[in-house]
Amino acid sequence: MNCTECGAKSWPRQDPSMISAITSREGDKILLAHSQRHPPRLHTVLAGFIEAGETFEKGVAREAFEETGIRIDEDSVEYLGSQPWPFPQSSMIGFMATADSSQPLNIDEDEIVSARWFSVEEVRAAAAIEGATMRKEVAKAAVEANPDIPLLIPPKGVIARRLIDNWLDKRPL
């Protein structure tokens, strides 16, 4: 970037972060978490910053373990895509990975409120809900219209949803 005042060049710092959909080895479940900052019932994939000297793949494994106690199959980590992330000056790098879903969950309550494995049917029902579900008023209206729905997921247009949809697209109807 060039300064508009003096023309000096600068290279803004980038803090890479990862976001990952962890699915069961059998492919029939996905691990989603609920954060305190999200509306009730909204669950999403796991995310976190990459530490200095850490590979993205190791970051996926570390974040999954730190937040949920789940050890992923480290050789299963696959890049899916990325998006800019203004938290601050960051890039969100998206991955898919698998894990043994029979492992007990051990939630880091400083990071997330809850997490669990959701079935294809539960996530497909949540995917049918349209709108900016991360906004409290939209989420509230969705739950009022569908009181039995077990979860909401992020809206289309964000990488978290792209990861979830990628998993759903590979599941039979």
Side-chain angles (χ1 to χ4, degrees):
M1 295 177 93
N2 291 330
C3 175
T4 56
E5 297 288 320
C6 69
K9 289 189 183 271
S10 67
W11 289 267
R13 177 182 161 153
Q14 281 277 315
D15 295 322
S17 52
M18 54 65 55
I19 187 165
S20 181
I22 310 298
T23 63
S24 64
R25 289 176 179 159
E26 301 76 22
D28 60 341
K29 293 179 233 153
I30 188 168
L31 181 63
L32 299 175
H34 176 71
S35 167
Q36 188 171 348
R37 70 181 181 277
H38 292 141
R41 297 196 201 176
L42 188 120
H43 288 70
T44 189
V45 294
L46 304 176
F49 286 102
I50 299 298
E51 295 180 356
E54 183 176 54
T55 66
F56 286 108
E57 295 82 359
K58 292 289 185 189
V60 170
R62 178 186 50 75
E63 285 290 338
F65 184 73
E66 285 178 1
E67 292 183 4
T68 66
I70 295 295
R71 293 201 183 275
I72 66 162
D73 302 324
E74 288 191 37
D75 61 345
S76 73
V77 179
E78 292 183 17
Y79 170 80
L80 188 75
S82 64
Q83 79 174 40
W85 196 254
F87 183 66
Q89 72 251 5
S90 195
S91 295
M92 185 69 74
I93 315 300
F95 297 92
M96 302 296 293
T98 62
D100 176 358
S101 61
S102 69
Q103 297 176 73
L105 292 171
N106 183 17
I107 305 303
D108 177 353
E109 294 175 356
D110 290 333
E111 293 280 334
I112 58 176
V113 175
S114 63
R116 80 171 180 91
W117 294 96
F118 288 91
S119 70
V120 173
E121 295 78 19
E122 291 170 312
V123 178
R124 215 179 282 290
I129 296 173
E130 296 186 14
T133 51
M134 294 182 101
R135 292 180 43 210
K136 289 188 188 319
E137 65 275 9
V138 174
K140 181 180 179 187
V143 170
E144 287 172 354
N146 304 285
D148 295 332
I149 195 152
L151 82 151
L152 300 172
I153 59 175
K156 289 192 178 285
V158 298
I159 194 162
R161 178 61 179 266
R162 184 172 165 205
L163 292 166
I164 293 167
D165 285 347
N166 179 70
W167 172 70
L168 280 176
D169 290 347
K170 294 178 180 174
R171 310 284 60 86
L173 292 175

